Amino acid sequence: MINEVRGHVDRWRQLAPSQWGVTPETARLLTYWRSHTFSGVRPFFCQIEAVETAIWLTEVAPHYASGKKIIAYLLAANKDANPELLYTHWRDPGEEWKLLLFGQLKRLTKEWLDSYLVCKGETYPALLMYQELADMACERITKAISFAYEGERPIHALLDPYNPIGSTRHVRFNTSNTLRWETSSDRCHVNSVILHSDWEAEFCRVAEKHPKVRAYVKNYNLGLEVPYRYGSETRKYIPDFIVLIDDGHDEDDLLHLIIEIKGYRREDAKDKKLTMDTYWVPGVNHLGTYGRWAFAEFTDVYQIESDFAEKVEDEFSKMIQGAITATRVMV
């Protein structure tokens, strides 16, 4: 197959520029490489040949029967080696597969399998052949790549074009839920917090008396939803609370801390946190027009049964301090 592709590229290289069958931008690039007089170090032939092969596969081969046959062979080979990552995560809807990324993604996938995959109980790596588990693995690898380039390649958030901003002033609903927390008017705009557990009630109590909390609200009928992927399924994550924190900046620049109250962390909870840390928080902060945001989970305290109130308050203080510290590092 390698020699066959090389033969096609050699014959294509001999054609006149008008017969190359590439975009004008690619044609100018090829002309420069082939005819420019370099004053310093010029590209090696093998480097130019590698790029020419990539150009032929992506721009020329799809228009010929022999080229389509080669592409079909490469796609089948790629599917056997890595069936999901290249197809589902590294192309936009309707976009062709980016075959140039195959080598890099294969290397990263092997590194993840060899160094980071931990199998517990009676599980083993071959279980990743199941579609849902394979999709989950692809999602974790993709988020790790995005997180690694957070400072160099910022995440661009796409807002709802019809309703980009939410506000507590619009919260109004009817409910038959009788488990509620009557809020303090100087800490929350909404008169009641609809509770799903006693833990949330204790959280409200601590939030209202904490010295660094300026305001808070339960994200119930507020409209804050975060899309995320769990395996091959697209879901919506609805965070529990939004808290305004005084972290030493001006009163007009308070930290918006999104808080998730979790006891037992299932796999979907891990994906929610990864989505918030990797995409949502960096994306919104990069916009620069909606204030500063951070995310934190409230979990460990629920493992402690005795002296519950004191432990909740202590954990709350540590969580707030951790979010403030992380935000200062980002700034």
Side-chain angles (χ1 to χ4, degrees), residues 23-238:
T23 63
E25 292 79 8
T26 302
R28 288 197 298 270
L29 186 62
L30 289 170
T31 301
Y32 177 81
W33 280 337
R34 294 172 178 177
S35 60
H36 180 72
T37 302
F38 291 89
S39 58
V41 179
R42 63 176 295 122
F44 292 107
F45 172 78
C46 60
Q47 294 174 317
I48 297 179
E49 183 184 40
V51 178
E52 287 178 335
T53 301
I55 292 173
W56 184 84
L57 285 170
T58 55
E59 296 191 29
V60 182
H63 302 291
Y64 299 94
S66 57
K68 291 179 180 179
K69 181 180 178 181
I70 291 175
I71 292 176
Y73 175 87
L74 293 175
L75 290 175
N78 174 67
K79 186 173 182 179
D80 291 339
N82 183 13
E84 294 299 321
L85 194 55
L86 187 65
Y87 299 130
T88 60
H89 290 77
W90 291 96
R91 62 168 181 162
D92 294 325
E95 188 179 42
E96 294 295 328
W97 295 302
K98 299 179 180 178
L99 296 177
L100 292 175
L101 298 178
F102 172 70
Q104 300 176 60
L105 292 176
K106 182 178 180 180
R107 176 180 58 80
L108 290 172
T109 302
K110 185 177 186 304
E111 180 181 349
W112 183 81
L113 288 169
D114 294 342
S115 305
Y116 298 99
L117 176 63
V118 178
C119 297
K120 297 182 178 180
E122 298 182 357
T123 61
Y124 45 92
L127 291 175
L128 290 172
M129 295 299 292
Y130 286 102
Q131 183 73 44
E132 184 173 355
L133 295 179
D135 288 334
M136 292 172 62
C138 292
E139 190 67 20
R140 299 285 173 87
I141 294 172
T142 299
K143 288 176 180 175
I145 295 172
S146 300
F147 188 78
Y149 287 96
E150 180 181 350
E152 303 175 30
R153 303 173 185 176
I155 298 294
H156 295 276
L158 297 178
L159 305 179
D160 184 340
Y162 302 104
N163 192 25
I165 302 175
S167 173
T168 52
R169 74 180 65 181
H170 304 306
V171 175
R172 183 180 179 87
F173 58 88
N174 296 321
T175 179
S176 59
N177 192 325
T178 58
L179 188 59
R180 308 178 187 182
W181 172 273
E182 298 300 323
T183 62
S184 174
S185 59
D186 63 342
R187 286 289 184 269
C188 184
H189 296 163
V190 183
N191 62 331
S192 295
V193 169
I194 304 302
L195 303 173
H196 295 111
S197 67
D198 292 336
W199 301 338
E200 292 186 348
E202 191 64 21
F203 179 88
C204 294
R205 182 192 70 80
V206 176
E208 291 189 355
K209 63 179 294 189
H210 199 283
K212 291 187 179 294
V213 173
R214 290 293 175 265
Y216 79 100
V217 67
K218 176 73 180 292
N219 183 34
Y220 189 84
N221 281 291
L222 187 60
L224 175 59
E225 298 178 345
V226 179
Y228 75 102
R229 289 184 64 86
Y230 180 67
S232 56
E233 181 182 356
T234 300
R235 298 183 178 182
K236 287 185 178 180
Y237 162 49
I238 302 177

